[in-house]
Amino acid sequence: MKLDDSDRRILRVIQAQPDLTMRELGEATGMSHSPCWRRLQRLQAEGAVSTRRFVIDPEAVGYEILVFCFVKITHHQRERLKAFEDAVAGVPEILQCYSLSGEFDYVLQVIAPSVRDYEATVKNALVELPNVQSIYTSFTLKRVKNSLNIPI
């Protein structure tokens, strides 16, 4: 996707101030309402901007535990990997899942209200995921940085 300076201005402003009206966005980017709206629609259609949503802080709503689970898969056939990935999508406590290169096959970001709740998630969901050979867990101690802003 090719971005020009006007596209970049729009992206920078909506990252910093996502609640602006279209008129305010146009003013902040130095554009009139209609061209700004058309550009934003194009950026959304091309997948550069997702739909608006509120970001909820897990700790503020009772999820005190954030864990990274490093997963090794038993066999690396395409259908077995897909079965694992499809099953991950059905576990709400897993916020993110990435396929990795190197020693582990996947890393999962998992939240839980407590260590006991995390243990229940492991016993009831994670070890039940298809083709899991092993899971190595690292509990986070504190959040140092948690940014969603893309440097544009």
Side-chain angles (χ1 to χ4, degrees), residues 125-138:
L126 299 184
V127 296
E128 298 297 324
L129 292 170
N131 309 305
V132 171
Q133 176 182 333
S134 60
I135 300 172
Y136 298 86
T137 298
S138 290

Side-chain angles (χ1 to χ4, degrees), residues 53-92:
R53 64 183 301 175
F54 290 97
V55 177
I56 298 170
D57 182 342
E59 289 180 29
V61 295
Y63 287 92
E64 297 290 325
I65 306 297
L66 174 62
V67 179
F68 290 100
C69 299
F70 298 88
V71 179
K72 288 185 179 181
I73 299 297
T74 54
H75 301 285
H76 293 91
Q77 289 104 358
R78 181 178 305 129
E79 61 277 353
R80 288 179 182 241
L81 296 172
K82 182 169 177 2
F84 173 83
E85 293 172 5
D86 290 346
V88 161
V91 181

Side-chain angles (χ1 to χ4, degrees), residues 131-148:
N131 309 305
V132 171
Q133 176 182 333
S134 60
I135 300 172
Y136 298 86
T137 298
S138 290
F139 286 83
T140 62
L141 301 176
K142 80 174 182 179
R143 183 181 346 185
V144 176
K145 182 176 181 179
N146 185 27
S147 178
L148 299 175

Side-chain angles (χ1 to χ4, degrees), residues 9-118:
R9 279 196 313 271
I10 290 170
L11 293 173
R12 281 192 295 271
V13 170
I14 64 173
Q15 281 191 122
Q17 299 172 288
D19 292 334
L20 291 179
T21 65
M22 193 55 60
R23 181 185 55 78
E24 292 167 332
L25 179 60
E27 289 172 5
T29 58
M31 302 171 68
S32 63
H33 171 276
S34 294
C36 187
W37 180 83
R38 282 193 298 272
R39 282 179 178 267
L40 184 57
Q41 292 296 308
R42 180 182 54 79
L43 290 166
Q44 287 175 326
E46 293 179 3
V49 176
S50 64
T51 58
R52 289 186 189 195
R53 64 183 301 175
F54 290 97
V55 177
I56 298 170
D57 182 342
E59 289 180 29
V61 295
Y63 287 92
E64 297 290 325
I65 306 297
L66 174 62
V67 179
F68 290 100
C69 299
F70 298 88
V71 179
K72 288 185 179 181
I73 299 297
T74 54
H75 301 285
H76 293 91
Q77 289 104 358
R78 181 178 305 129
E79 61 277 353
R80 288 179 182 241
L81 296 172
K82 182 169 177 2
F84 173 83
E85 293 172 5
D86 290 346
V88 161
V91 181
E93 294 85 1
I94 300 173
L95 298 183
Q96 296 181 10
C97 174
Y98 295 94
S99 175
L100 300 175
S101 64
E103 182 179 355
F104 299 100
D105 299 305
Y106 293 94
V107 62
L108 311 176
Q109 182 184 16
V110 182
I111 58 170
S114 68
V115 173
R116 184 165 288 146
D117 289 305
Y118 173 70

